[in-house]
Amino acid sequence: MPKHETPLLDQLESGPWPSFVSDLKRQSESRHAKENEIEYQVPVDVCDDLLGVVELSYKEKEVHWKHGGIVGVFGYGGGVIGRYCDQPDQFPGVAHFHTMRVNQPSAKFYNTEFLRNICDLWDFRGSGITNMHGSTGDIVLLGTRTEQLEEIFFELTHKFNTDLGGSGSNLRTPEACLGISRCEWACYDSQELCHHLTLAYQDELHRPAFPYKFKFKFDGCPNGCVASIARSDLSFIGTWRDEIRIDQEAVAAYVGGEIKPNGGAHAGKDWGPFDIQKEVIGLCPTECMWMEGGNLKINDKECTRCMHCLNVMPRALRIGNDRGLSILAGAKAPILDGAQMGSLLVPFVKAEEPYEEIHELIENVWDWWMEEGKNRERLGETMKRMGFQKLLEVTGIKPMPQHVQEPRTNPYIFWKEEEVPGGFERDIADYRSRHQK
Amino acid sequence: MAFISSGYNPDKPMENRITDIGPKHYSEFLPPVIKNNRGKWLWHEILEPGVLMHKAESGDEVYTVRAGAPRIMSVETLREALDIADKHCDGYLRFTTRNNIEFMVDSKDKVGPLKDDLNSRKHTGGSFKFPVGGTGAGITNIVHTQGWIHCHTPATDASGTVKVVLDDLFEEFQQMRMPAQIRISMACCLNMCGAVHCSDIAILGYHRKPPIIDHKEVDNLCEIPLAIAACPTAAIRPAKVELDDPKTGEKKSYKTVAIKNERCMFCGNCYTMCPALPLTDAKGDGLVIMAGGKVSNRISNPKFSKVVVAFIPNETPRWPTLAKTIRKIVEAYAKGARKYERVGDWAERIGWERFFEACDLEFTHHLIDDFRDPAYYTWRQTTNFKF
């Protein structure tokens, strides 16, 4: 007999997509089955009460979790999110149900030994419910009690050599695509840069000193598989500045229908024979490609590296050799002032250890934002309020047409005094000597 | 339930304390075929839905079988995934940004048994545990937030809405018949933990009633100036109200706030700063559908999703209107878009007036932007429109 009847949630057990309800029930059954073997450190019926409170929300269509409350581990200001149920008498197992964010290894590759240890720890000291992974990228452990937080942190650091991620007004856990580990399009080692900066900025990650959250994300190419351009205050996107490498024989094989376009991604529908003119050359946004004597030609100088032709013909076209990354600043979701996309700040920088130029840029941005940013203001909002010119000024970057979609349509230029010969201080008597009242 | 110490001494928290070590280095977790060919991949191909093959300069091949998984995962189910990785993949696996699990093997003959194993595992309720799919021009896993499972500000549930939409679109997860990939995302409130603002289709929880003011608690639970400053539309101001004191029965003056309801955009930012201003409401809360966003730079620039349905009520437990509406958008797109065209590119090519027609969606005043300066740039400043 389940502790709580869940007639509404039960209707989410049917259908083919993996059911989180079945999964929660599975965890509940496992806890009860092993009750005599394992000295569970949070109530054995934690999953039953979780199902119960969620069922109540399904019935009432209102949430039953309260505000955070300040809980954490000693010396850190992030990594733990306090959570309490607003019906603790009905659902005592989840009266305290705090989240811990564990910093994932770059690009989320694991061996089973590491994850088994996390499973055992979380089964023993928490609810056994996780997110693999949270939106920012952490392993999210959902549901434990305050007295377990230090114990879990101690085991994570001492036994598993791993650490908590970020939360609150600090550097959030950085995230990268899998990059050169398994992708032919990665223009820099996104995993390594992510790991390097995560370690370099542990203090910023664990101890909130910023106006608001700050995110780094690392995409190996302009396809943007971790969506850095949409959701990170500093977005690192791989690119190149020389020529796309062309294998003309492979081009011919695509044209001849021997290789499926786009890696076979469209195999589920008959789109007709591959037409390089229509599908590649005609869709090139800069019209910088053409066929000449059976060979594909590219005017690389005009290419904006949108990736379409490479995506369609991965066996014929490869990224250039002079690789690095572009840095865009200020992306965020709509809260508060509307959504913002990242704006191009650094068109190209080499991504080579020890990444000195990248460190310098990050620290200049932070110094400015920490000085000027208002409470709960993201970098993108500070940029909007103070102007892109200001960001260029504090980062020492020379303005260039690449920074804008188009030049301004109003002439309301805030000229600085030092830009205008003679400055702003003038003598009215001198003026009147030439102009009568 | 006896407390068992990890070795941590609460009387001496700094004793043997280890901090700021960060995550383990990823190189410890790379399967040998990945480690050996890192940075030396030549090309890849999708052999069938859910199965990728990457070819390296050395001639090595890695076969990846991608399986869907809900973001909420118990350690029991995670252990089962680890058992599969031990059995087929020498003890390695990875997770994608979109909550899929990738199982990698180093030769083609290992793909079939792995795939069969994954597809054979089902929950007692009948759903798949690890369905293979989610590649190419199809619909992959929906990234989402916590919802009623664990968050304090949601206007809907996340796991439930995602489950019903993916149940409905399940065959699209397992095939690749779309003009391009469709990225669907879900966020349970306006905070949008995740990139739903740049998705082909986005499901967004939304409140429609201003906060209830718990006058007697505002000054106890909140810093009033912070709550006022948190409001993006300056709808909150300080106020005093006379109410009965529960202790004495006499009138008492309480320091609190007043809210101009007509200025409230229902973002809940004040509630994040002040727990005495809850928003959640069974009748007020529900869903918004957005469409036409993307993050890739391919062919066209990244773009934001646009609101195409202003409100769908929380029809628990299976949100039939939500699933039906998304199905309509998907089918109209599959029928109308050209190869390689994303939802937003298609809508822009045919015009948004045609988009609403093709998707059989009603256009209401709610869909016209009236939030600050950017609104103007979304009105039509040309005579080029379609009847």
Side-chain angles (χ1 to χ4, degrees):
Chain A
M1 260 300 280
K3 183 173 173 186
H4 306 281
E5 292 296 328
T6 54
L8 294 170
L9 288 180
D10 293 350
Q11 295 177 55
L12 288 169
E13 288 202 85
S14 58
W17 187 255
S19 167
F20 69 100
V21 176
S22 300
D23 199 25
L24 293 175
K25 288 184 177 178
R26 176 183 196 184
Q27 191 62 24
S28 156
E29 281 160 23
S30 152
R31 284 178 82 86
H32 288 295
K34 289 190 278 189
E35 202 169 346
N36 298 324
E37 288 165 46
I38 300 176
E39 191 79 49
Y40 287 117
Q41 297 292 289
V42 304
V44 67
D45 53 2
V46 57
C47 294
D48 308 71
D49 280 348
L50 179 61
L51 283 159
V53 73
V54 175
E55 176 74 15
L56 185 63
S57 285
Y58 269 68
K59 193 172 151 209
E60 295 180 349
K61 305 179 184 184
E62 291 183 352
V63 69
H64 285 286
W65 299 104
K66 288 202 282 189
H67 254 261
I70 298 168
V71 290
V73 298
F74 188 77
Y76 279 13
V80 181
I81 293 98
R83 189 64 72 221
Y84 300 92
C85 182
D86 73 6
Q87 294 292 350
D89 298 335
Q90 242 180 305
F91 308 107
V94 293
H96 300 216
F97 200 66
H98 309 319
T99 304
M100 298 186 86
R101 293 184 181 164
V102 177
N103 197 147
Q104 83 287 2
S106 201
K108 308 186 185 95
F109 283 92
Y110 296 99
N111 61 30
T112 51
E113 185 199 352
F114 178 81
L115 282 184
R116 268 187 219 287
N117 286 332
I118 299 284
C119 287
D120 292 347
L121 170 66
W122 190 237
D123 210 4
F124 177 54
R125 295 194 180 276
S127 70
I129 303 298
T130 76
N131 288 156
M132 294 299 290
H133 297 71
S135 303
T136 298
D138 299 277
I139 299 174
V140 176
L141 305 177
L142 291 178
T144 191
R145 298 180 61 86
T146 309
E147 62 273 15
Q148 290 300 319
L149 298 173
E150 288 288 358
E151 308 296 326
I152 292 165
F153 181 66
F154 190 92
E155 296 206 35
L156 284 173
T157 51
H158 285 76
K159 291 188 184 164
F160 310 135
N161 194 23
T162 206
D163 206 339
L164 296 182
S167 66
S169 291
N170 56 13
L171 175 64
R172 297 300 183 85
T173 308
E175 188 183 22
C177 71
L178 54 56
I180 66 170
S181 272
R182 205 198 61 202
C183 183
E184 65 270 30
W185 295 321
C187 301
Y188 73 101
D189 192 341
S190 50
Q191 267 180 302
E192 182 56 34
L193 181 58
C194 178
H195 185 79
H196 171 90
L197 294 177
T198 305
L199 288 200
Y201 296 121
Q202 283 288 297
D203 193 29
E204 286 78 3
L205 203 154
H206 294 305
R207 295 168 195 88
F210 288 154
Y212 202 14
K213 66 182 87 165
F214 196 97
K215 297 184 179 182
F216 291 151
K217 292 194 193 294
F218 306 87
D219 277 311
C221 83
N223 280 331
C225 291
V226 295
S228 71
I229 201 167
R231 56 188 192 135
S232 51
D233 298 86
L234 283 180
S235 153
F236 301 81
I237 303 180
T239 196
W240 66 95
R241 55 182 176 185
D242 58 348
E243 294 83 41
I244 292 173
R245 289 171 287 168
I246 309 177
D247 176 345
Q248 297 292 357
E249 277 179 34
V251 172
Y254 277 105
V255 172
E258 291 150 47
I259 311 174
K260 282 188 226 158
N262 218 93
H266 294 80
K269 181 178 165 180
D270 182 8
W271 292 91
F274 176 65
D275 179 345
I276 195 169
Q277 191 62 42
K278 188 173 146 201
E279 296 186 34
V280 179
I281 297 171
L283 289 178
C284 171
T286 61
E287 301 175 14
C288 68
M289 315 177 85
W290 67 99
M291 292 301 284
E292 200 174 295
N295 282 346
L296 180 68
K297 299 283 184 186
I298 302 175
N299 179 2
D300 287 278
K301 196 170 184 311
E302 296 309 308
C303 170
T304 53
R305 304 162 311 284
C306 86
M307 300 297 295
H308 175 64
C309 60
L310 285 92
N311 289 342
V312 176
M313 304 195 293
R315 290 175 73 165
L317 302 178
R318 300 177 67 195
I319 55 173
N321 285 317
D322 184 12
R323 295 169 216 149
L325 55 86
S326 303
I327 303 176
L328 292 88
K332 56 180 275 293
I335 290 278
L336 290 171
D337 208 14
Q340 283 179 245
M341 208 69 84
S343 298
L344 182 68
L345 178 62
V346 179
F348 188 87
V349 61
K350 282 280 187 187
E352 285 160 4
E353 287 180 80
Y355 308 112
E356 274 168 14
E357 285 173 277
I358 293 172
H359 277 289
E360 197 189 329
L361 177 98
I362 291 167
E363 286 158 30
N364 283 335
V365 168
W366 280 349
D367 285 348
W368 175 64
W369 179 56
M370 287 170 78
E371 183 69 30
E372 300 288 350
K374 294 180 183 171
N375 185 37
R376 287 171 65 79
E377 185 176 70
R378 291 285 289 269
L379 175 66
E381 289 160 329
T382 311
M383 286 162 58
K384 255 170 110 174
R385 186 166 55 78
M386 308 210 45
F388 194 78
Q389 290 94 326
K390 193 71 198 167
L391 181 64
L392 291 177
E393 200 179 300
V394 299
T395 50
I397 295 169
K398 193 175 170 293
M400 57 189 102
Q402 284 82 352
H403 283 131
V404 295
Q405 199 65 43
E406 59 188 28
R408 67 195 305 158
T409 54
N410 64 68
Y412 307 148
I413 299 163
F414 291 100
W415 290 100
K416 291 187 189 126
E417 187 167 11
E418 62 272 22
E419 289 183 304
V420 186
F424 288 172
E425 290 304 316
R426 288 182 287 162
D427 180 5
I428 190 67
D430 172 56
Y431 178 81
R432 286 288 166 233
S433 71
R434 286 175 279 116
H435 304 275
Q436 293 178 18
K437 267 191 266 190
Chain B
M1 194 172 82
F3 182 83
I4 297 173
S5 170
S6 60
Y8 168 74
N9 179 356
D11 297 327
K12 292 181 180 167
M14 291 311 290
E15 194 177 75
N16 299 324
R17 194 170 190 84
I18 298 174
T19 68
D20 300 290
I21 54 172
K24 293 181 87 158
H25 196 261
Y26 56 85
S27 58
E28 290 183 49
F29 299 125
L30 301 177
V33 62
I34 295 286
K35 206 169 196 169
N36 295 340
N37 296 289
R38 218 173 166 264
K40 296 188 175 113
W41 297 102
L42 283 176
W43 50 268
H44 77 279
E45 127 178 69
I46 304 170
L47 301 179
E48 58 181 289
V51 182
L52 302 153
M53 189 274 276
H54 286 80
K55 184 91 173 175
E57 286 170 13
S58 64
D60 285 356
E61 294 171 347
V62 61
Y63 294 82
T64 302
V65 179
R66 185 176 290 168
R71 175 174 121 145
I72 291 270
M73 185 173 283
S74 71
V75 297
E76 281 298 297
T77 298
L78 182 51
R79 284 179 180 131
E80 190 172 339
L82 302 177
D83 290 341
I84 297 168
D86 279 336
K87 188 172 158 198
H88 298 271
C89 313
D90 302 319
Y92 296 93
L93 77 172
R94 78 171 287 266
F95 290 78
T96 72
T97 307
R98 303 192 75 86
N99 305 102
N100 293 310
I101 310 180
E102 289 185 338
F103 297 90
M104 285 156 282
V105 292
D106 55 13
S107 73
K108 198 171 185 177
D109 56 301
K110 297 177 183 171
V111 170
L114 169 60
K115 222 186 105 187
D116 293 345
D117 191 353
L118 289 166
N119 279 332
S120 71
R121 294 173 189 252
K122 290 192 170 180
H123 282 292
T124 46
S127 65
F128 286 95
K129 284 176 180 166
F130 308 107
V132 173
T135 51
I139 295 178
T140 186
N141 208 340
I142 299 180
V143 290
H144 66 90
T145 54
Q146 302 288 15
W148 290 334
I149 292 257
H150 205 249
C151 183
H152 64 293
T153 63
T156 188
D157 189 34
S159 316
T161 50
V162 164
K163 161 79 174 146
V164 299
V165 171
L166 280 170
D167 275 346
D168 189 69
L169 294 171
F170 190 69
E171 81 273 13
E172 307 301 345
F173 179 81
Q174 294 188 309
Q175 61 189 17
M176 307 187 292
R177 66 166 185 112
M178 292 291 145
Q181 68 267 43
I182 302 183
R183 296 282 182 257
I184 308 181
S185 308
M186 194 285 158
C188 54
C189 85
L190 200 51
N191 276 302
M192 292 197 193
C193 308
V196 321
H197 58 298
C198 294
S199 307
D200 294 282
I201 299 175
I203 309 160
L204 174 67
Y206 206 81
H207 302 288
R208 294 188 304 167
K209 293 191 186 185
I212 319 170
I213 307 169
D214 191 348
H215 291 297
K216 288 180 183 170
E217 295 297 336
V218 170
D219 200 31
N220 290 335
L221 295 176
C222 322
E223 295 283 347
I224 291 177
L226 287 182
I228 292 168
C231 180
T233 61
I236 307 177
R237 61 185 191 279
K240 278 187 181 161
V241 294
E242 297 272 320
L243 292 169
D244 293 335
D245 184 335
K247 282 182 205 149
T248 62
E250 313 258 304
K251 285 275 179 210
K252 184 182 161 187
S253 176
Y254 288 89
K255 277 211 286 191
T256 179
V257 296
I259 296 175
K260 269 193 187 156
N261 285 342
E262 69 277 14
R263 292 181 82 154
C264 181
M265 61 189 261
F266 321 104
C267 70
N269 205 40
C270 57
Y271 178 58
T272 295
M273 299 310 286
C274 176
L277 298 171
L279 276 86
T280 187
D281 184 277
K283 293 197 180 75
D285 296 353
L287 303 165
V288 172
I289 297 183
M290 302 173 79
K294 70 183 190 98
V295 295
S296 147
N297 290 272
R298 185 175 182 175
I299 303 176
S300 65
N301 293 349
K303 42 187 143 235
F304 293 124
S305 318
K306 285 88 183 167
V307 178
V308 296
V309 178
F311 188 74
I312 292 175
N314 273 327
E315 301 163 324
T316 56
R318 291 203 66 97
W319 285 270
T321 310
L322 169 72
K324 207 176 114 201
T325 310
I326 290 184
R327 169 61 79 172
K328 281 202 298 192
I329 299 172
V330 167
E331 290 301 342
Y333 163 75
K335 196 172 150 211
R338 293 176 183 162
K339 194 177 178 187
Y340 307 115
E341 208 166 45
R342 298 284 291 264
V343 172
D345 296 325
W346 166 62
E348 285 171 16
R349 176 173 60 79
I350 61 173
W352 282 96
E353 59 269 55
R354 283 285 177 275
F355 173 88
F356 283 91
E357 207 175 277
C359 298
D360 184 28
L361 297 174
E362 189 190 358
F363 189 89
T364 65
H365 74 87
H366 311 98
L367 308 183
I368 300 173
D369 197 353
D370 55 3
F371 189 73
R372 303 199 174 156
D373 286 357
Y376 164 81
Y377 299 99
T378 66
W379 305 340
R380 195 180 300 249
Q381 286 113 16
T382 170
T383 55
N384 296 333
F385 63 88
K386 295 178 182 176
F387 287 107

